[in-house]
Amino acid sequence: MRRQSTMRAALGRLWRSERGFALPTVLMIIIAALGLGGATVVASIHTQSGSVRDEDSKDALAAADAGVQLALYRQNKIATSSALPCVVPGSGSNLVPGPALVDGWCPAWTGTVGGRSYTYRVKPWSTIGTTQTGVKRQLSVVSVGSADNVSRRVDVVATAKDGSGVFGDFSAVGVDGVTINSSSNIGNSTTGTNAATNGNITTLGSGYLCGDAKHGLGQGFSGTQCPGYQVFEEPLALPPVDPGTAWTINSNGRFFAQDPKKGNVTWDGTTRTLTMTGGGRVTLGASIAPYSFCKLDMSGNSQLIVAQGAVVTIIFHSPETCGQTGNPVTQVNMTGNTQFVTTSGNPYDLRLVMAGSGSIPTKAHFTGNSGSEMTVYAPQTDVELWGSTTYYGAVAGKTLTLGGNAKFLNDDRAGQAQLPISIVYRRDRYVECTGGAMPAAVGTHPDDYC
């Protein structure tokens, strides 16, 4: 009995004692801590993996965009045709127009940007629109960007005005503003003539507009407008002039054998200036290569005549190209009873195309008393129509100003003229495609699932 009570007492003391309890407690805490730490490490690894993939995804999209930008840059830079609509490698590092492949798409281009790769293909351009709405070229670019194991594919549709139908529904255009002074008018009761600008359209004195008025965003129309026409707001963009090879390949050599003159007419081949005074006349007949001018100076009763059957283009080069200085540089200066005459009576047959300048102000001053037929495209040149005469056709200038008793009337035929402009593709549509890889199987197309 005594031994049993002694054992019970010992067990009681052991039960009440905390000795030996710390070790399992510490072990449990360590195990719990390791568990929590492991979970944190695993979560961190997953987070870092997700972050890396997100970064790769963004880089892949940026590489795809870079491919699109390069494709459009090349299409803008290289003059393609319906027969050779693609941009392909030429000799050396040159790029040249080339044909499409049998699948109807241009050959693939590959490259890298920022250590990421891209592959793009271009669907050749086709013509859309009308001369009334504006004729455009439309093409597609499908580009795949890749970063590590991530790929993304985009499809971009871009359009560019092609030189015909540039005026659209508006034949009196001033990019920065249209002003109708004094007793002048654009359009009349029988010939509606629409005016457009990125700035304001203003009539002063007894001047008026018989036609729709399209003004720039945040701008307006003020003055007199014939009833029944609209005023609305919309941005305006005119492509720049592209003189091409006109400086060296032109019809200037026709003066004055093939292109005869009468009276006081001189041509200075060095300064590229045609001067006509005192009833002088010259008849231009070249339809293939344009004439290359720096200045046209007409006074008295002089006339510039387009021969029957000819379609004449006169390109006025920039003042920088011509070596001209001034503020402004006046490249067309008509005074007195001067006149443009198309033998056919069609303003389509005479195109005055002025490159102008982004840094040197340029001006074209037209005047007369006998009427003129012409198509004028001068998006970087201030255009003035003056005198007591009527101008027929289509006119676009940096600004357009009418003064005196000048009248301007639309002729739809002028708006159909094919003008030498820069082809500048701009994005109209951008979508990301399903599936990052470029489809390569037989019967598939680069823009499938886009």
Side-chain angles (χ1 to χ4, degrees):
M1 291 291 294
R2 191 175 195 179
R3 179 175 296 175
Q4 291 179 350
S5 63
T6 303
M7 185 175 295
R8 289 194 192 96
L11 288 172
R13 287 194 300 272
L14 181 60
W15 180 260
R16 292 188 297 271
S17 174
E18 294 181 355
R19 285 185 298 172
F21 186 75
L23 181 59
T25 301
V26 171
L27 288 174
M28 291 176 65
I29 292 172
I30 291 174
I31 291 170
L34 288 173
L36 291 172
T40 302
V41 170
V42 171
S44 176
I45 291 172
H46 282 298
T47 299
Q48 291 181 24
S49 177
S51 297
V52 170
R53 184 172 180 80
D54 286 346
E55 189 69 25
D56 286 343
S57 181
K58 293 176 182 177
D59 288 350
L61 183 60
D65 282 342
V68 171
Q69 288 296 103
L70 182 59
L72 296 180
Y73 172 78
R74 286 170 170 168
Q75 289 287 153
N76 288 337
K77 187 176 178 64
I78 306 301
T80 60
S81 65
S82 57
L84 299 173
C86 299
V87 177
V88 300
S91 60
S93 59
N94 293 328
L95 302 178
V96 297
L101 300 182
V102 293
D103 64 357
W105 288 70
C106 297
W109 284 87
T110 60
T112 59
V113 56
R116 307 304 191 181
S117 64
Y118 61 82
T119 299
Y120 75 78
R121 294 192 70 186
V122 174
K123 185 177 182 179
W125 57 266
S126 59
T127 301
I128 62 172
T130 66
T131 53
Q132 286 72 37
T133 61
V135 178
K136 295 181 180 181
R137 295 182 180 185
Q138 183 182 80
L139 57 75
S140 297
V141 181
V142 174
S143 180
V144 175
S146 299
D148 295 330
N149 295 320
V150 179
S151 295
R152 297 179 73 174
R153 180 166 55 112
V154 299
D155 180 15
V156 171
V157 175
T159 58
K161 293 182 178 179
D162 80 339
S164 58
V166 172
F167 290 92
D169 289 330
F170 297 85
S171 56
V173 180
V175 177
D176 292 344
V178 175
T179 304
I180 307 171
N181 289 302
S182 307
S183 300
S184 301
N185 56 278
I186 293 176
N188 60 23
S189 59
T190 59
T191 306
T193 303
N194 300 328
T197 181
N198 256 337
N200 295 306
I201 299 176
T202 305
T203 75
L204 301 171
S206 57
Y208 62 89
L209 169 66
C210 276
D212 290 341
K214 181 174 78 170
H215 59 76
L217 301 179
Q219 307 300 309
F221 171 84
S222 61
T224 303
Q225 184 181 27
C226 297
Y229 293 102
Q230 297 180 335
V231 176
F232 59 97
E233 180 178 272
E234 189 177 285
L236 169 72
L238 292 181
V241 171
D242 181 7
T245 60
W247 187 260
T248 54
I249 303 175
N250 52 62
S251 294
N252 294 356
R254 296 172 60 96
F255 295 121
F256 290 104
Q258 294 165 288
D259 292 343
K261 70 171 184 174
K262 291 183 179 180
N264 299 321
V265 181
T266 61
W267 168 253
D268 187 326
T270 302
T271 63
R272 305 198 184 202
T273 300
L274 180 65
T275 303
M276 307 170 65
T277 63
R281 297 184 180 187
V282 63
T283 301
L284 306 183
S287 294
I288 300 175
Y291 294 86
S292 171
F293 279 27
C294 288
K295 187 172 183 180
L296 173 62
D297 201 342
M298 299 175 64
S299 61
N301 295 309
S302 57
Q303 292 182 336
L304 187 149
I305 303 168
V306 175
Q308 181 69 44
V311 178
V312 170
T313 300
I314 302 175
I315 293 180
F316 290 81
H317 298 275
S318 70
E320 290 90 345
T321 301
C322 293
Q324 297 168 312
T325 58
N327 187 14
V329 171
T330 301
Q331 293 188 308
V332 175
N333 188 33
M334 299 172 66
T335 59
N337 188 25
T338 52
Q339 186 181 19
F340 293 140
V341 179
T342 58
T343 306
S344 64
N346 187 349
Y348 175 95
D349 293 344
L350 176 61
R351 299 105 183 256
L352 306 179
V353 181
M354 309 187 71
S357 171
S359 57
I360 299 176
T362 56
K363 184 173 76 170
H365 178 79
F366 300 87
T367 193
N369 294 316
S370 303
S372 289
E373 303 107 9
M374 60 188 187
T375 301
V376 179
Y377 188 75
Q380 291 198 106
T381 298
D382 296 316
V383 176
E384 299 176 349
L385 304 182
W386 220 260
S388 297
T389 191
T390 302
Y391 300 90
Y392 302 89
V395 176
K398 186 174 187 292
T399 60
L400 176 60
T401 304
L402 277 73
N405 193 32
K407 308 177 190 310
F408 176 74
L409 301 179
N410 167 64
D411 188 314
D412 287 336
R413 295 174 296 179
Q416 300 173 16
Q418 182 75 36
L419 303 172
I421 64 172
S422 296
I423 300 297
V424 180
Y425 285 98
R426 294 182 171 86
R427 300 184 182 198
D428 281 350
R429 172 180 173 269
Y430 178 103
V431 297
E432 185 167 2
C433 310
T434 301
M438 187 82 74
V442 176
T444 62
H445 304 89
D447 59 352
D448 284 349
Y449 308 107
C450 292

